[in-house]
Amino acid sequence: MSETSMTMARVAYDALDEKLGEDIEILKIDEISVIADYLVIANGDNPNQIRAMLEQVEQRMSEAGFDSKRIEGNKNSTWILMDYGDVIVHIFSREDRLFYDLERIWRDGTKVNREDIG
């Protein structure tokens, strides 16, 4: 895990928080998976908020010099996956987040507080 991945997770978290993302969580998964160092997970209340969260993450990450490798889902989706390499951002509707329950799937990961990554 690198300082860069910690910075990416922090930028993504803050961007989601700026758009009032709900239940934002950071899971450190570098010790249990090779796909990424961190997952950042949040949900929004409605399609407009989810779209605003997507756009804010894109903007803040770009401003910090990080470009997404790919984005799955679109502005009308209820689950958006943003792949930044070492950090993967998941933005859900409340219902889809409960249904897919990534926190359960990745329960062997470590929950990290925002303050712990700078």
Side-chain angles (χ1 to χ4, degrees):
M1 179 186 42
S2 68
E3 286 292 320
T4 301
S5 62
M6 287 175 47
T7 300
M8 284 192 286
R10 183 175 56 247
V11 170
Y13 182 102
D14 291 348
L16 294 166
D17 190 48
E18 288 170 15
K19 292 301 178 181
L20 306 178
E22 298 175 346
D23 299 323
I24 306 169
E25 290 201 22
I26 302 169
L27 296 178
K28 184 174 173 281
I29 62 167
D30 64 322
E31 295 176 2
I32 60 169
S33 177
V34 297
I35 66 165
D37 291 343
Y38 293 100
L39 300 179
V40 182
I41 306 168
N43 59 271
D45 256 345
N46 58 63
N48 289 336
Q49 183 185 18
I50 292 169
R51 182 172 46 255
M53 292 164 63
L54 163 70
E55 292 170 356
Q56 189 74 352
V57 171
E58 281 184 305
Q59 179 180 341
R60 294 291 186 237
M61 293 294 268
S62 178
E63 289 170 355
F66 306 119
D67 295 316
S68 65
K69 298 193 180 324
R70 74 175 192 271
I71 296 177
E72 299 288 332
N74 59 46
K75 295 179 187 217
N76 299 315
S77 296
T78 57
W79 178 7
I80 297 168
L81 180 150
M82 306 174 78
D83 183 353
Y84 285 92
D86 291 336
V87 174
I88 299 174
V89 180
H90 295 273
I91 304 172
F92 288 99
S93 67
R94 186 176 293 132
E95 297 78 20
D96 277 4
R97 184 171 183 179
L98 290 171
F99 180 80
Y100 290 105
D101 198 5
L102 293 185
E103 291 90 342
R104 181 186 56 77
I105 294 169
W106 290 99
R107 68 181 169 266
D108 292 338
T110 304
K111 285 189 180 182
V112 177
N113 291 321
R114 163 61 180 86
E115 298 77 32
D116 294 336
I117 56 171

